[in-house]
C-alpha cells in the first residue's frame, strides 16, 4: 500500500507577483526550491492564507536570492501581491517508509522571502 505524505513545504512566503498573461505555473526563487527539495516541473499545492484559496500547479525556478514567488496564468486570479502563501509538495511511499520519512520544511524570512 502507498500513502501520500508531505514531502516539502515552504511556509509563509509573500506573493511577489501575479502574471495573468503567462502559460501557467508558479515561479519560485531557486534558492527556496533547493532548500525545500522541490524540482522544476514538480506539482505544488498553494494555500493562500489571506483568502482561503487552494490550488495546484507546477513550479519553475526563478532568479536566486530574490524571494520571488509569482503565480502565473489562471492561478494569478487566485492571489494578490502581498498575500501570505504556503507551498506544499507531496510524495507517495509505503507506510513503513512514511513512518521514518522527514519532509523538507523551509521557513523563510516573512518580510523578504529569503532564507534566514
Amino acid at each position: 500500500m502507498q500513502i501520500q505524505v508531505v514531502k516539502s513545504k515552504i511556509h509563509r512566503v509573500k506573493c511577489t507577483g501575479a502574471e495573468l498573461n503567462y502559460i501557467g505555473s508558479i515561479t519560485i526563487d531557486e534558492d527556496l526550491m533547493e532548500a525545500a527539495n522541490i524540482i522544476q516541473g514538480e506539482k505544488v499545492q498553494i494555500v493562500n492564507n489571506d483568502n482561503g484559496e487552494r490550488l495546484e500547479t507546477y513550479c519553475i525556478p526563478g532568479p536566486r536570492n530574490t524571494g520571488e514567488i509569482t503565480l502565473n496564468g489562471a492561478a494569478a486570479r487566485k492571489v494578490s501581491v502581498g498575500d501570505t502563501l504556503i507551498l506544499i509538495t507531496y510524495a507517495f511511499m509505503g507506510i513503513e517508509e512514511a513512518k521514518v520519512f522527514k519532509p523538507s520544511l523551509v521557513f523563510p524570512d516573512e518580510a523578504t522571502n529569503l532564507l534566514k
Side-chain angles (χ1 to χ4, degrees):
M1 177 186 303
Q2 297 271 303
I3 62 170
Q4 193 172 25
V5 298
V6 172
K7 177 186 129 323
S8 308
K9 180 165 108 171
I10 302 174
H11 192 72
R12 297 186 60 85
V13 286
K14 298 289 185 201
C15 177
T16 61
E19 299 294 332
L20 183 60
N21 295 315
Y22 191 90
I23 295 171
S25 70
I26 181 172
T27 304
I28 303 171
D29 177 324
E30 194 167 3
D31 287 339
L32 293 173
M33 287 178 63
E34 225 170 61
N37 194 28
I38 297 172
I39 63 167
Q40 181 172 343
E42 187 170 355
K43 182 169 133 178
V44 62
Q45 180 182 45
I46 299 132
V47 179
N48 187 327
N49 283 0
D50 290 300
N51 65 17
E53 290 282 355
R54 287 178 172 255
L55 62 120
E56 293 177 341
T57 189
Y58 63 94
C59 51
I60 59 174
R64 290 182 179 277
N65 201 38
T66 61
E68 181 178 359
I69 304 290
T70 300
L71 276 289
N72 302 305
R77 295 198 183 274
K78 304 290 188 178
V79 299
S80 295
V81 172
D83 283 357
T84 300
L85 309 176
I86 299 171
L87 313 178
I88 309 163
T89 66
Y90 300 89
F92 287 99
M93 59 188 70
I95 292 174
E96 293 308 312
E97 182 183 6
K99 287 179 182 178
V100 297
F101 178 76
K102 302 291 184 225
S104 298
L105 307 177
V106 178
F107 299 88
D109 182 286
E110 288 189 41
T112 64
N113 291 346
L114 299 177
L115 296 172
K116 295 180 186 178

